[in-house]
Amino acid sequence: LLCGCENKNPAAGGPYGNYYEIFVASFYDSDGNGKGDLRGIIQKLDYLNDTKNGSKNSLHIDGLWLMPIMPSPSYHKYDVTDYYEIDPLYGTMEDFENLIAECKKRNIKVIIDLVMNHSSRLHPWFLAALEEYRRGEPGKYAAYYNISETRPLSSWHSANGGAIFYEGDFSPDMPDLNFDNEDVKEEFKNIVNFWIDKGVAGFRLDAVRHVYQNREKSVAFLKWFTEYCQSVKSDIYLVGEVWTDDAGIMAFYESGIPSLFNFPAATKDGLIVRTLSRGDGAGFAQGLIRWQRLMERRNAGAIDAPFISNHDNDRSAGYFSGEDAAVRRKMAAAMYLFMPGNPFIYYGEEIAMEGSGRDENKRLPFVWDELAKQLADDNSLARFYIEAIKLKNKYPLVFSGKLEEIDGGDRSLAAYTLNSPEGCVAVIHNLSSEKKEIDLPLRKKIGGGLYAGAGQEKPFFKGNTLVLGAYCTVLVEMKKTGETK
């Protein structure tokens, strides 16, 4: 690894940063009951960001995404019974407030999962709705949900085997909320206000394309929700889950939401893994530029949210096999971490945790013993993540710059510049097993590099030609067009 850089936190007080996704039950157990909790996260904050410049054992992330922390009868907690509390399995509201305070000391923003498409069937709203129907007097709470005495679609479920049916697109345990009802909207305004007052920086919005069966109505809902959140907290960060194709994601950017997850680049079938399997670096650079242009047309202020896997996908370590699996995992990490926008690291990604099939297998406990081993190994994946984030934090421009392709004359090179009025930096990934050269006539100096393989020589310039080794990523500070120094 070659970094040679001072660690900085570019995202303090701003919209950009490197985020870390945590399933609280599987991160760290503070009290020995076999389940992770909020106090466990507090105890491990030094690993996430110890605030020490140049630290070798801290990821120096800028943001946390906590998967659902509200009371719920399920292990995954995406069926909420109380939007104003902490699940007792994870701790207390005081624990959450302490977590927020400790994160603020480290300039770590905290966003929490907000599940709006549906509640739990055990939520008091839904229990009241069914009781109203049983009495034959449908009232306020019955209108919070979509309930009928007939079953119009297979996604509607019978209430306790009776002649009352309700919509539950994901599960009978998750009745869909009715956002045509102004009272439901008011409820969620109050929920947003409550958590902002608690100190959250924003929300990860679950399943936002399913709020309505109609896309236009779902986009209009997201526009309303985004504008309301921004009226309460002008710098709020919202990132939405719209798990669909390019066109579908871009339609939701028209809502004005700051970020949507970049699903087409992620998972074993996405742009990153596909690029590595083909060695087509030029195609990767062109794909990033295309995506940025598509976002800009719908929302000029949009911030991409790249990732490689999350709690719903097979873990990314399993995407790669064979003798070069370790090398490809590092290159994949470099590729998504150096995409412009806010990358999201799924807990355990940095130590090559594996898990596939059932959702529970994708959300297994973090292996702290394995982390300790990797921190002691300069060639480990964990060490690679640490150095990659250090290097990225040296150049805040990588988060927000406008992309332009560099034609390297070799398709195994993914080469592009990131530009802003403040400067220009080039990112070059060599996806091949051979040393490569690329002409950079506007080069200033090498900013740093990362090597996925062991024993590589450092990158260097031969005139204006950058010479870089196999399977590596190099950042180069560049002159802007017309700049002479």
Side-chain angles (χ1 to χ4, degrees), residues 328-350:
R328 290 180 180 274
R329 287 168 185 159
K330 291 176 183 177
M331 287 307 303
M335 290 166 72
Y336 85 90
L337 290 174
F338 285 90
M339 290 169 63
N342 294 344
F344 280 76
I345 304 163
Y346 186 37
Y347 79 97
E349 202 113 67
E350 73 276 24

Side-chain angles (χ1 to χ4, degrees), residues 2-22:
L2 168 69
C3 182
C5 57
E6 174 191 0
N7 183 63
K8 298 179 181 178
N9 188 324
Y16 298 102
N18 304 292
Y19 278 79
Y20 193 83
E21 178 192 358
I22 291 179

Side-chain angles (χ1 to χ4, degrees), residues 14 33 45 97 108 114 145 161 242 247 249 293 314 330 352-353 366 388 470 475:
N33 70 352
L45 281 178
E97 291 166 350
I108 297 173
L114 185 58
Y145 298 89
V242 178
I249 294 171
R293 301 295 184 268
D314 293 348
K330 291 176 183 177
M353 279 180 60
F366 190 97
L475 266 66

Side-chain angles (χ1 to χ4, degrees), residues 109 146 157 193 213 228 236 279 316 419:
K109 299 184 289 288
N146 300 311
H157 310 281
N193 294 347
Q213 298 299 324
Y228 177 74
I236 196 164
S316 66
N419 305 274

